Amino acid sequence: LIACDDLEHEVYQKDSDQLGLPPGQSLVHLPVVIHPFLGNDLMYVRVHRRFGSQRILQDWEMELWKDRIINLLKPSSSSSGKNSFQGPIYFLWGTDFEDQPMINALRLAERLPPQLLPEGTNLSKFSMTSDNRLVMNNSIVNAFSKNTTSQQNNAIHNGQKCPIPRDEKDKNEEGPALKSRRISHDLNQNNQTSGILKFFKPTTS
């Protein structure tokens, strides 16, 4: 059993040449077709958002997927009371920009009943920052991130110049994650390293 979640205009553009929503065109989500048949023992879902730096699904999109999964796995009205579909369900998140595939996976998992998640899943290991970045709690990276974030915020308030984006398409839709990366790059260029970067900075003799 295979299902796809796509935007209409992205389907008609080549993956290597995505230009975003054409001017004057409305955003259209293609219908997600799910037809479970007796004997299906797994489901494969492809979710695509192919353009730009903001590819995290909106809350209402996540709620739709939560409802689809729960309805698909709920007991049938037959005399046996068993589901015609047993699972498992695999998601491929084609939302590749920075850590956004992992963010989408986490946001969907948080909405599902614990009994529907893979055995051993521990959502408390992860959390979201105020600028929509995924961090692992109690990790060394997270421990040093507070100092870096403070310097990045100071850079914003002091009006420090940021380098030109790597991708020309991102210039007009720079989100918090991209802005953070650009500011961090600028700080490193000026040797204003902090946290773990400063700790491992080689010394000159």
Side-chain angles (χ1 to χ4, degrees):
L1 182 59
I2 300 175
C4 294
D5 183 342
D6 284 287
L7 302 179
E8 184 181 58
H9 67 277
E10 291 185 351
V11 172
Y12 288 102
Q13 297 175 12
K14 294 182 179 179
D15 282 352
S16 58
D17 192 27
Q18 289 287 324
L19 301 174
L21 185 66
Q25 192 172 109
S26 299
L27 185 66
V28 177
H29 290 74
L30 293 178
V32 176
V33 180
I34 300 176
H35 288 305
F37 296 97
L38 186 64
N40 287 133
D41 55 359
L42 67 87
M43 181 177 180
Y44 173 53
V45 181
R46 298 176 61 93
V47 181
H48 296 113
R49 298 294 182 268
R50 298 176 171 89
F51 178 79
S53 59
Q54 302 300 319
R55 307 188 191 188
I56 299 175
L57 271 66
Q58 299 181 53
D59 288 340
W60 67 267
E61 295 176 283
M62 288 295 183
E63 288 297 318
L64 276 179
W65 271 115
K66 180 198 74 173
D67 293 341
R68 291 181 184 121
I69 294 170
I70 291 176
N71 289 333
L72 188 64
L73 294 173
K74 70 181 181 182
S76 67
S77 57
S78 64
S79 57
S80 65
K82 294 183 178 180
N83 308 8
S84 58
F85 178 79
Q86 298 293 325
I89 301 175
Y90 299 97
F91 272 78
L92 185 149
W93 295 98
T95 57
D96 299 85
F97 184 85
E98 297 185 339
D99 55 1
Q100 293 183 25
M102 293 182 290
I103 292 175
N104 282 320
L106 178 65
R107 294 182 71 234
L108 178 58
E110 289 174 336
R111 288 169 162 79
L112 294 173
Q115 64 269 24
L116 296 185
L117 299 177
E119 185 177 352
T121 299
N122 184 359
L123 300 179
S124 64
K125 289 183 178 180
F126 304 95
S127 61
M128 297 289 297
T129 64
S130 58
D131 59 348
N132 283 332
R133 298 185 70 85
L134 183 66
V135 295
M136 180 176 288
N137 298 325
N138 301 320
S139 70
I140 188 170
V141 174
N142 191 28
F144 283 101
S145 65
K146 296 180 180 179
N147 191 16
T148 303
T149 301
S150 176
Q151 290 204 14
Q152 290 173 351
N153 290 336
N154 290 335
I156 295 174
H157 295 304
N158 294 333
Q160 292 189 11
K161 184 178 179 181
C162 295
I164 297 174
R166 296 178 303 172
D167 192 336
E168 195 69 21
K169 291 186 296 186
D170 291 333
K171 183 181 292 183
N172 295 323
E173 52 176 88
E174 179 179 317
L178 180 59
K179 180 179 290 185
S180 175
R181 189 180 74 232
R182 292 175 64 194
I183 293 173
S184 178
H185 178 270
D186 189 58
L187 290 174
N188 291 334
Q189 290 291 337
N190 290 284
N191 293 323
Q192 297 180 17
T193 53
S194 62
I196 194 168
L197 296 179
K198 185 175 182 180
F199 182 80
F200 287 106
K201 183 180 177 182
T203 59
T204 57
S205 56

